Amino acid sequence: MSTTLDDRPVESGPTGDSRPGGAASAPPARPNHPRGRLDRPDADHRSLWSLIPVTLAALSVGWAFGRTFETRDLVPVILPSAIVPVLLSVACSRPVRSPAPSGTAAWTGAARRGPAVRPLWPSLIITVVCWSLVLSATLFRDRAAGGFLPSIGLIREIWSALLDAPHAVLSVVAPVPGDAEMLVLPATCVWLAALGGAELALRTRTVVAPAVPSVLLFAVPAVLGTGGPGSNVAASVALAGSVGLLLVARRPGRGSGLRNLSIGLPLVVASSVFAGAIGPALPGATAREAPDLHTLVEPPTDVRLGGASPLDRISAWLQTPERPLFTVSGPAPAERNWRLAVFDSYNGVRWAPADDLRTTTGRVPDREDTSVVSKTAESHLVTIKELGGIWLPAADRPREIRPPAGLEISVEQHSGTVAAHRRLPAGTRYEVDSRVPVLDPNRLQFLPVGTDPAFITMPDKDVTGEPFEALPVFRRLAEEATTGASFPYQQALRLASWLRTNYRYDITATPGHSYRNLQFFLESGKIGTSEQFATAFAVMARTLNLPSRVVVGFSSGTDIGGGVREVRAGDVVAWPEIEFAGAGWVPFFPTPGRQNEPGDRNKAPGQDVAQPGTVASPPPPQLTRDQVDAGIEGTDRSGVAPDPHDGEDKDSGIPWWLVAAIIAAVVLLGYAMLVFIAPRVERRRRRGGTPNERVLGAWQLIGAALTRAGLPAGSAATAQEVAVYGGALLPAEVGARLPALADLVNDCAYGERVATQQEADDAWSLCAALEGVLRRESSTTSRRQRVLARWRPRRVIGVFGLSRGRREWGQ
């Protein structure tokens, strides 16, 4: 028989007891050896060791749900869902051993199929049953018989909850309540990832396939978690590391799974660093990214907005100014205003609050672009007295509300308004954390306004199709009030000043804010409450294409001692807000101050009432655009208490070129580490095993070295022919030893000879001497070729068993 140098016979020798001719490289191990390549114990050991990274990958899928659920709710669910299916797969998928083949039957295709495995369908049936039992014993234990056994009705309920869970999750502000109907989704995703990976690991010899279920199912929490708190970068790194461990644990070749794991640590580190570098730039990784599927799901109508609107109740509250509505404990300056409800939709008759309210456990997501303003963090304890209604007051836009047990709340994500699902009873207490912007007129002067058309839209025709006569009046008066203003911020300031100067505050004014009411207020009556001043400002601003809305709230209230302020009905006030790019919604106060009125706590006439934490808005200094642009980029914020959470929900801002450079550096570093250790891994692999395997491994390296020295690659040379070529090329003290080694190789490969340890040591001694001679006598060109061969990707991949081919390295 004649062979190539790459372990594979290319010509068949005679059958029976006749011994084939010499070979230049080692054939497969002897068929009666217990460590045969295709049916040996260490292959099964690698499958079992690979279950560790499979379980870790499934846990990474559960970890990614951390942006959607609270950790305390997830941990008891994902741990059994990641471990139980792996144990079930081990019990149901273990191979059925058959007697080892012997003689010529060992070389048939049937022998190469390996041990038989049990069929898949019993495993699937058992795992579905166990999935139902585990969910019944954990999430649905209060509904299961005896707290464990599920009934047919409960199984139907579990399946129904699983099908409804994605829609339910997307209709709730993350973190999602830890209800069984919600948690069934992460439990099932982790279960499927663990089950699929374990079955593929135990039933196949493929390297990558066991990682596929976890990688695919990782997309579920990545998509559902968009807009949630925190980041999925750590979970992505964990998944990448688990996949790297899986690849090195299952690489083909000799060695145990534990040994493979230790050798492949550089690959694991490189893949984890790569995932950590690229993770923040991927969609679904951080808290503010697009698209957010929550916006595509219609939330359930759990909140009823019926009853009197806070905007309509202003006049009624002003008639009983001393009635206590709520108290606030915590730091609050005297100019603090408490925000109650936001109204951003106008139909020509009344302003209405946004109805896109989504259930929340207390978190209020930050949806405003406030990149050019600072924020301060404040916490308050609010106690409801006679406020009534469903709206929860807070300092500016809340960040988180901790309601009392039993009180369900919802949030309108754009405005940050929070509402209860039922009328607030007296005595209700809750804690609220807010982020209060600190606005600087210098930074606002030249900012452009927002571009959302929803906040400048107003009806221009009545139900009969006739144009409203009031709109031209509003536009004419707005242009008159803002004459000479060059920028949106100046327009808003002059419009507020014009209303304060030309109109009078009166609590006995007729309520209402329809087109007809506002036209009467502006042209004839010229008296009103903050309801008319705020709504007139907002409508007139929209005629100037300034995005506006109306806010109803209260001034700071009365200090009653002990760090507590009591807010009364007479403290009610409405104000308009204009949206500026980079600053969010900026408040303006067109209502003139009141004098000699009971419960009067407003500012003096002609003075802006400051919003929480803001600077009162006097006319801006006359600065050039270049000066203001420079100030926006580098304004000194010293003395402002920073919000420890500010920026948590913002993009990382890592430049793409920096991400690309980090990725390239990590890839090159990881590959260099693999290139450095590849020869050592290859030599260690070939030197291990039985004496016969060691002899054949030494001969393979000798053949590879002679190929680099000029022996035609892929030639059908026999072992003796290779020895003759080496003897003519090498010095006598080395070349003369090759024929004896060639005979030993033929005897071990195709005969019944069992080499001794001494013969194996002598073979490796000859291999080292031959490689040393060739290395010393090689030219510069051959050294360059050897270096290039060492960096060849196919050689590195083959050494680490990530390829199914068996080409020799260095050829």
Side-chain angles (χ1 to χ4, degrees):
M1 172 187 287
S2 60
T3 65
T4 64
L5 296 177
D6 63 351
D7 268 358
R8 294 173 296 178
V10 297
E11 296 181 10
S12 301
T15 59
D17 295 332
S18 61
R19 192 178 75 178
S25 60
R30 291 174 56 191
N32 59 349
H33 195 277
R35 291 173 60 85
R37 182 175 183 271
L38 297 174
D39 186 13
R40 62 175 184 266
D42 61 321
D44 294 327
H45 293 164
R46 281 198 302 274
S47 296
L48 293 176
W49 277 107
S50 63
L51 294 179
I52 296 177
V54 164
T55 304
L56 294 177
L59 289 172
S60 300
V61 175
W63 189 358
F65 277 99
R67 293 187 67 191
T68 308
F69 295 88
E70 294 283 0
T71 302
R72 63 175 180 270
D73 297 327
L74 271 181
V75 172
V77 172
I78 64 175
L79 285 179
S81 296
I83 297 174
V84 173
V86 174
L87 298 178
L88 291 176
S89 296
V90 172
C92 299
S93 306
R94 294 296 295 147
V96 180
R97 288 282 179 188
S98 57
S102 61
T104 58
W107 306 109
T108 64
R112 290 179 179 271
R113 287 195 296 268
V117 295
R118 294 186 175 93
L120 179 62
W121 62 267
S123 177
L124 296 180
I125 294 177
I126 292 174
T127 194
V128 170
V129 173
C130 290
W131 172 76
S132 303
L133 292 174
V134 170
L135 291 183
S136 300
T138 54
L139 296 179
F140 297 88
R141 60 180 176 273
D142 56 336
R143 311 175 202 179
F148 180 75
L149 295 177
S151 62
I152 299 298
L154 180 56
I155 293 178
R156 291 177 179 174
E157 184 179 349
I158 294 175
W159 279 104
S160 177
L162 177 61
L163 296 177
D164 294 339
H167 183 277
V169 168
L170 290 175
S171 63
V172 176
V173 176
V176 174
D179 301 332
E181 288 77 6
M182 301 283 195
L183 288 171
V184 67
L185 180 62
T188 304
C189 287
V190 174
W191 187 287
L192 292 177
L195 174 67
E199 291 290 342
L200 290 171
L202 294 172
R203 294 178 180 274
T204 70
R205 288 289 181 259
T206 57
V207 176
V208 181
V212 173
S214 293
V215 173
L216 294 179
L217 287 166
F218 191 87
V220 176
V223 171
L224 296 181
T226 53
S231 168
N232 270 338
V233 174
S236 302
V237 172
L239 179 63
S242 301
V243 173
L245 285 173
L246 181 66
L247 295 181
V248 299
R250 292 182 63 82
R251 72 179 184 91
R254 298 177 177 87
S256 66
L258 181 60
R259 181 181 178 185
N260 291 342
L261 290 177
S262 61
I263 293 175
L265 284 179
L267 177 62
V268 176
V269 173
S271 61
S272 299
V273 174
F274 174 81
I278 198 175
L282 296 178
T286 53
R288 295 189 66 181
E289 66 286 328
D292 186 353
L293 295 185
H294 291 76
T295 60
L296 305 179
V297 176
E298 188 70 21
T301 56
D302 292 334
V303 181
R304 300 292 182 263
L305 300 181
S309 163
L311 190 59
D312 297 331
R313 298 179 64 187
I314 290 179
S315 294
W317 273 327
L318 290 174
Q319 303 308 312
T320 56
E322 296 300 324
R323 181 158 62 101
L325 301 183
F326 60 92
T327 60
V328 180
S329 301
E335 66 272 14
R336 168 67 71 248
N337 277 8
W338 308 107
R339 183 184 301 259
L340 184 64
V342 176
F343 301 81
D344 53 19
S345 177
Y346 187 58
N347 62 4
V349 177
R350 63 191 301 269
W351 285 84
D355 57 0
D356 186 22
L357 290 161
R358 297 175 183 271
T359 301
T360 178
T361 55
R363 174 176 172 266
V364 179
D366 189 0
R367 296 300 188 200
E368 291 185 310
D369 177 16
T370 55
S371 55
V372 300
V373 299
S374 301
K375 293 182 179 180
T376 58
E378 295 185 3
S379 296
H380 301 98
L381 175 63
V382 180
T383 303
I384 302 298
K385 290 189 174 181
E386 300 180 31
L387 177 63
I390 61 172
W391 307 101
L392 279 67
D396 203 82
R397 183 187 181 95
R399 173 182 176 81
E400 183 179 3
I401 290 184
R402 292 177 286 279
L407 180 63
E408 296 182 339
I409 59 176
S410 292
V411 60
E412 201 284 310
Q413 298 187 74
H414 183 83
S415 65
T417 304
V418 182
H421 291 192
R422 54 184 174 84
R423 182 181 176 87
L424 295 173
T428 301
R429 304 182 70 184
Y430 61 90
E431 295 181 55
V432 55
D433 298 335
S434 302
R435 288 183 293 186
V436 183
V438 180
L439 301 174
D440 184 352
N442 290 336
R443 297 169 64 84
L444 297 173
Q445 183 176 9
F446 295 125
L447 288 180
V449 295
T451 58
D452 192 339
F455 301 117
I456 59 174
T457 300
M458 291 189 301
D460 55 1
K461 294 181 181 180
D462 59 21
V463 293
T464 64
E466 295 296 325
F468 283 111
E469 297 180 357
L471 277 180
V473 175
F474 299 152
R475 187 174 295 108
R476 174 179 57 82
L477 293 176
E479 292 173 351
E480 175 186 332
T482 59
T483 301
S486 304
F487 301 101
Y489 181 64
Q490 291 177 328
Q491 288 180 303
L493 283 178
R494 295 194 180 189
L495 181 57
S497 177
W498 184 80
L499 286 170
R500 285 195 305 266
T501 302
N502 295 283
Y503 297 86
R504 185 167 56 89
Y505 178 86
D506 191 340
I507 64 173
T508 64
T510 304
H513 49 267
S514 66
Y515 277 158
R516 184 181 299 274
N517 290 108
L518 294 181
Q519 184 177 5
F520 175 79
F521 165 70
L522 292 172
E523 290 187 322
S524 303
K526 296 190 176 183
I527 61 171
T529 65
S530 60
E531 174 191 358
Q532 285 74 45
F533 282 92
T535 55
F537 179 102
V539 170
M540 296 171 72
R542 290 195 175 191
T543 65
L544 300 174
N545 291 323
L546 301 179
S548 62
R549 67 184 188 184
V550 177
V551 180
V552 175
F554 302 88
S555 57
S556 60
T558 303
D559 187 354
I560 60 176
V564 179
R565 304 189 75 89
E566 184 178 70
V567 179
R568 302 168 183 172
D571 296 317
V572 65
V573 62
W575 65 88
E577 293 182 340
I578 303 295
E579 185 184 26
F580 290 90
W585 290 95
V586 176
F588 294 86
F589 289 82
T591 305
R594 299 167 292 174
Q595 298 180 5
N596 302 321
E597 292 288 347
D600 177 22
R601 296 173 185 85
N602 279 21
K603 295 294 181 181
Q607 187 179 13
D608 269 346
V609 179
Q611 182 68 359
T614 65
V615 179
S617 46
Q622 297 303 313
L623 303 176
T624 65
R625 176 179 286 276
D626 292 339
Q627 289 174 322
V628 173
D629 289 342
I632 291 174
E633 297 298 329
T635 298
D636 182 16
R637 298 186 183 186
S638 59
V640 177
D643 179 3
H645 304 287
D646 194 28
E648 178 180 296
D649 292 342
K650 296 182 180 178
D651 294 331
S652 61
I654 301 177
W656 68 267
W657 56 265
L658 180 58
V659 175
I662 294 174
I663 293 172
V666 170
V667 171
L668 290 177
L669 177 61
Y671 188 73
M673 295 176 66
L674 294 178
V675 169
F676 177 76
I677 66 175
R680 293 160 178 77
V681 173
E682 178 71 2
R683 185 170 293 272
R684 180 177 297 180
R685 181 169 67 86
R686 296 192 185 279
R687 293 196 68 157
T690 64
N692 280 28
E693 291 173 335
R694 296 183 61 208
V695 169
L696 298 178
W699 184 254
Q700 290 167 356
L701 294 186
I702 290 174
L706 291 176
T707 299
R708 293 192 297 271
L711 181 67
S715 64
T718 64
Q720 289 296 340
E721 291 171 344
V722 173
V724 171
Y725 179 86
L729 179 67
L730 301 169
E733 64 272 13
V734 177
R737 298 168 57 187
L738 288 175
L741 179 58
D743 290 336
L744 177 61
V745 167
N746 285 330
D747 291 341
C748 292
Y750 301 106
E752 299 297 329
R753 182 171 177 177
V754 178
T756 64
Q757 290 290 352
Q758 183 60 45
E759 289 174 328
D761 293 339
D762 292 341
W764 277 97
S765 174
L766 177 58
C767 177
L770 182 145
E771 290 177 332
V773 171
L774 293 178
R775 189 180 302 110
R776 289 191 300 270
E777 297 182 357
S778 61
S779 63
T780 302
T781 303
S782 61
R783 285 197 297 271
R784 185 184 307 114
Q785 293 175 346
R786 187 169 62 251
V787 172
L788 294 177
R790 173 175 290 189
W791 283 80
R792 187 178 303 164
R794 185 169 58 182
R795 170 241 181 195
V796 176
I797 293 174
V799 167
F800 284 95
L802 302 181
S803 172
R804 303 302 293 179
R806 301 187 61 192
R807 292 187 177 273
E808 294 301 322
W809 65 271
Q811 294 190 21

